[in-house]
Amino acid sequence: MPTRDPLGRPLGALRISVTDRCNLRCGYCMPEDAYEFLPHREVLRFEELATVARAFAALGVEKLRLTGGEPLLRRDLPELVRLLAVIEPRFELALTTNGVLLAPLASSLRQAGLDRVTVSLDTLDRSRFVAMTRRDALDDVLRGLAAARDAGFSAIKIDSVVVRGQNDDELGSLLEFARRAGAELRFIEYMDVGGATHWRPDAVVSAAEILSRVERTHGPATALGDRGAAPAERYLLADGTVFGVIASTTRPFCRACDRGRLTADGQFFTCLYGREKLDLRAAVRDGVTDEELAYLVAARWQVRSDRGAELRASLADRAPLVPLSALRRDPHLEMHTRGG
Ligand code: SAM
Ligand code: SF4
Ligand code: SF4
């Protein structure tokens, strides 16, 4: 039986941020010039991460996603995948990456036991890529996507955050690109997460607007129905293309949310927006048993009442979640620390 919170939501998935460092500086995630990063000595070692993962497996968690920051910056990541892939019951192991370093790593990640890859890509235009990420790396990302396919990953996803005035005129070309690449595209609404210090309501292109724009150029999109705990609503176009829309800002899905998050330094959060953390690093380094670790996690999940995105959506005057000064004091509020 999965562990449930008071709203009946099971603990079904864990996102592990393996590093808070990143090689891009996307304007909706890391818009500032300088950041407070987690001290290296506090970052969980691979064996410690595997210990934590075993506790989640014992609690019925089936899906594990490696993220960051940029997870491929973590040295020897395939070795971590190998450790996680032998945990029983077997996780479905996924990775979210900006793709910049994927080309040289795709094959060893696949061999290590990684099941699925999601690549974040917001534009196909090189100068726009530079403007949105502040790095000139579009070609590396495209090579990374091709390498993932060559390495045998199927069901590759491409995630695109849509920002008004920046890439909202590229919906059609992103769809075409994903179709040709054999990947499923998901449009993500711009969220007011910690770190999005430049977020403004009028920069959000709503899921409804995304859908109507796609329908204008590609014809009717048929909803594919029940998505369970998955964040994306999926649609089918007449030419057989399937795409998703993640409406975290305007139509949040907290009621079905089964995801916990672990930061690179071993802090467990039960919501992307949550403030309460559970220090699993301290527990692991104190030498608790696997059973005690699982008990700590279950006890926290069982009192979880988070509905972060829903509460944000109910605000009349919505502005960035936290000011820069608060992020400097507590990097755990950052999206790139918490793991997207
Ligand atoms: N660096 C990796 C990447 O970009 O795929 C993994 C971490 S990143 C934080 C995970 C996802 O969060 C990416 O798809 C990114 O586009 C998304 N993201 C970051 N900030 C966001 C925001 N303000 N609104 C919506 N999505 C955001
Ligand atoms: Fe961009 Fe991901 Fe890095 Fe954030 S963590 S700046 S979304 S690449
Ligand atoms: Fe889950 Fe929190 Fe996101 Fe809502 S805001 S979907 S509760 S992580």
Side-chain angles (χ1 to χ4, degrees), residues 9 191 252-255 257-259 261 270-274 304 306-310:
R9 299 172 295 186
M191 296 171 70
F253 34 84
C254 300
R255 260 156 233 285
C257 174
D258 68 348
R259 283 177 296 285
R261 287 185 158 78
T270 55
C271 178
L272 188 52
Y273 289 88
R304 170 194 197 236
D306 304 286
R307 295 188 304 115
E310 284 181 0

Side-chain angles (χ1 to χ4, degrees), residues 19-31 67-71 96-100 120 122 132-133 161 335-337 340:
T19 177
D20 60 333
R21 309 306 206 256
C22 192
N23 45 4
L24 298 183
R25 287 290 180 275
C26 305
Y28 48 71
C29 179
M30 299 182 75
T67 178
E70 174 44 41
T96 300
T97 171
N98 62 30
V100 175
S120 304
D122 306 326
M132 291 186 78
T133 68
V161 179
M335 175 73 151
H336 67 269
T337 305

Side-chain angles (χ1 to χ4, degrees), residues 270-288:
T270 55
C271 178
L272 188 52
Y273 289 88
R275 297 291 173 104
E276 295 271 314
K277 56 191 176 204
L278 175 65
D279 189 354
L280 296 181
R281 181 189 71 235
V284 170
R285 292 191 178 169
D286 281 350
V288 298

